[in-house]
Amino acid sequence: MIKVLIVDDDNLVRKGLRSMLPWGEYGMEVAGEANNGEKALELLAQQQVDLLLTDLAMPVMSGMELMRIVRKEYPRICIVVLTLHQDFEYIQDCLRLGAIDYIAKVELETDSYDEVMGRIMRRVLEEQAKNPAPAVFYDAPACGKQQEERIAEPEPPLQPAAEIEAVIAGLKQYGRTLGWVHKASEFERFREELKQASLPPAKLMLLLNSLMLGWNRIYSSVTSRQIELPDSFNSWAEAEAWLRKTREDFVAAIGKAQYSEEVQECIMRAVQAMHEELAEPVMASEMSKRVNMSRSYFSQCFKDIVGMTFNEYLRSIRMEKAKEYLQHTQKNIQWISEHTGYTDQKYFSRVFYEKSGMLPSEYRQRVQDGAQMSGR
């Protein structure tokens, strides 16, 4: 049953919509009413709502402001606007804010009820299919189980936003360590914790996107390729399969079989630290001590696993970071050289030229010229 919340400052409009429209015939029921946006948010915090019908011009909090908050805090709630306006641009503004449809109050006549209700029900079902509830997403098997069975399952209670953010922060920290790349047990733990978090699909994608940035800094520096994240997953089974494939790709790229998992983990800890501290003086001798390896054995393992020496790799990631700064910021060359580990700007420019065939200023100009050409 689709739970509906009606928000309008006119009591007669609310009572009229609740009593006149054939909600039950279209699988809907009115779960509550509110006379302004603030009251609506209080009700949303207390009960499940699937569809929000809201007026736009209301005291205390307008419908537009309510829509912005609902889209951010409750992305799975569908919004239909109640309006007296027939202005096309005004309605377009509402649709851009995330409304799936609108009802023109002045045109809502008895003989149009079925057409309006049928249209809204279809839009709600379309939106729910695109953004399934977490319980359905995580319980959905790869094949075999009937959709009707899944819909009949009760949804778990909603987690407070602060609790979800704390879980996400923990998963980010764990995912960045890359211990799960080299230890199967660590990977299973990471996978299980990710599943048990039962994040809404949209938040799961945001988390994976965030982790991908760090993973690709390491993966692409070794392979010159990127690990690609799909636009979306239809189920946890798809997300899990992608995660396993990502680990396999990582292992193939940087996990050399001749070394133990412990040695591979030590080298990956060193690689991760190099990325995080590339603006600081980073020495192989110091790094080998931090991962409890002898200097000579560390250097040998590093080259075999990463595919280049410690200094070559450090120079490579510093130059890639410098290119990012040149391309995406307006920071001057001195600032960029200092933030990529070079206190001497002239030396930085010479290394940059050796690696790229042009000076930093020339690189920035070429990137900007290219962007202007593509924008024409």
Side-chain angles (χ1 to χ4, degrees):
M1 189 68 76
I2 298 171
K3 307 287 187 181
V4 183
L5 176 62
I6 301 173
V7 188
D8 197 302
D9 61 334
D10 189 326
N11 183 51
L12 290 178
V13 171
R14 297 198 308 274
K15 299 304 179 191
L17 289 170
R18 177 191 277 267
S19 62
M20 290 188 301
L21 293 175
W23 301 103
E25 294 177 22
Y26 290 89
M28 304 183 200
E29 66 177 6
V30 177
E33 301 174 15
N35 60 3
N36 62 59
E38 278 195 0
K39 290 293 183 185
L41 291 175
E42 289 176 10
L43 291 175
L44 290 176
Q46 298 168 5
Q47 62 189 77
Q48 178 191 335
V49 171
D50 304 299
L51 173 62
L52 179 73
L53 260 66
T54 180
D55 189 17
L56 295 176
M58 294 182 291
V60 184
M61 178 185 288
S62 71
M64 288 286 195
E65 190 173 356
L66 173 63
M67 288 174 63
R68 291 190 183 93
I69 296 173
V70 170
R71 294 310 300 163
K72 181 179 179 182
E73 300 293 332
Y74 305 95
R76 293 194 65 252
I77 293 181
C78 299
I79 303 173
V80 171
V81 171
L82 300 166
T83 179
L84 290 171
H85 300 271
Q86 292 294 299
D87 181 82
F88 178 76
E89 291 188 2
Y90 194 73
I91 293 171
Q92 286 297 307
D93 287 342
C94 296
L95 297 178
R96 276 193 287 271
L97 276 177
I100 61 170
D101 206 338
Y102 69 96
I103 296 175
K105 297 180 190 177
V106 294
E107 294 182 351
L108 193 59
E109 303 291 344
T110 303
D111 56 2
S112 67
Y113 289 170
D114 287 327
E115 185 273 332
V116 170
M117 295 297 289
R119 189 181 74 222
I120 292 175
M121 182 190 69
R122 287 194 298 276
R123 298 276 170 80
V124 171
L125 293 179
E126 288 171 2
E127 291 299 314
Q128 289 181 341
K130 288 191 290 187
N131 186 21
V136 174
F137 180 87
Y138 286 94
D139 290 343
C143 59
K145 197 173 182 181
Q146 297 297 312
Q147 178 74 11
E148 291 76 8
E149 291 178 324
R150 298 203 300 271
I151 290 174
E153 294 171 356
E155 292 191 12
L158 295 174
Q159 286 179 284
E163 187 176 315
I164 292 177
E165 294 306 318
V167 169
I168 290 175
L171 288 168
K172 277 185 180 177
Q173 185 174 5
Y174 195 50
R176 285 171 180 155
T177 63
L178 289 181
W180 53 271
V181 171
H182 298 293
K183 286 188 176 180
S185 58
E186 289 292 308
F187 173 77
E188 291 304 323
R189 179 184 163 196
F190 178 50
R191 180 197 60 76
E192 188 59 26
E193 288 190 3
L194 199 57
K195 182 181 180 184
Q196 290 302 320
S198 294
L199 299 175
K203 285 193 176 293
L204 175 65
M205 295 304 294
L206 286 174
L207 170 62
L208 293 176
N209 255 315
S210 171
L211 290 172
M212 282 288 295
L213 296 175
W215 296 349
N216 265 329
R217 275 199 293 271
I218 296 173
Y219 184 78
S220 63
S221 65
V222 176
T223 65
S224 299
R225 301 192 303 273
Q226 296 271 325
I227 293 175
E228 301 291 341
L229 180 67
D231 293 335
S232 63
F233 296 116
N234 293 316
S235 67
W236 168 252
E238 288 186 9
E240 182 178 346
W242 175 85
L243 203 58
R244 290 187 183 282
K245 178 66 166 54
T246 296
R247 179 173 182 260
E248 290 174 3
D249 290 343
F250 253 111
V251 170
I254 58 180
K256 305 301 183 183
Q258 66 266 33
Y259 291 108
S260 67
E261 287 184 347
E262 287 73 21
V263 169
Q264 294 173 29
E265 184 183 3
C266 288
I267 297 301
M268 282 305 99
R269 281 167 49 202
V271 168
Q272 186 173 357
M274 292 166 74
H275 280 270
E276 293 172 353
E277 303 169 19
L278 57 77
E280 307 297 327
V282 182
M283 307 293 288
S285 55
E286 174 63 23
M287 192 61 71
S288 64
K289 290 180 183 176
R290 287 167 59 175
V291 298
N292 298 316
M293 295 177 70
S294 70
R295 170 73 170 83
S296 59
Y297 189 54
F298 173 79
S299 297
Q300 176 188 334
C301 295
F302 192 97
K303 184 176 182 181
D304 289 344
I305 293 175
V306 177
M308 58 184 85
T309 67
F310 180 90
N311 287 332
E312 287 172 343
Y313 185 75
L314 181 60
R315 191 179 301 117
S316 173
I317 62 176
R318 280 175 165 168
M319 289 300 103
E320 289 305 312
K321 190 64 181 178
K323 288 179 180 176
E324 283 184 29
Y325 285 138
L326 289 165
Q327 187 171 354
H328 301 298
T329 76
Q330 293 303 314
K331 299 294 184 184
N332 60 41
I333 307 301
Q334 179 64 41
W335 186 95
I336 292 173
S337 68
E338 291 174 354
H339 284 75
T340 51
Y342 295 91
T343 54
D344 185 335
Q345 182 185 334
K346 290 182 178 178
Y347 181 64
F348 163 75
S349 296
R350 188 164 75 242
V351 173
F352 191 93
Y353 185 86
E354 290 172 357
K355 296 289 290 183
S356 66
M358 62 187 87
L359 293 170
S361 57
E362 294 173 332
Y363 178 85
R364 171 175 275 166
Q365 188 61 51
R366 184 166 298 188
V367 169
Q368 291 175 348
D369 291 345
Q372 290 174 358
M373 289 291 291
S374 62
R376 289 176 184 172

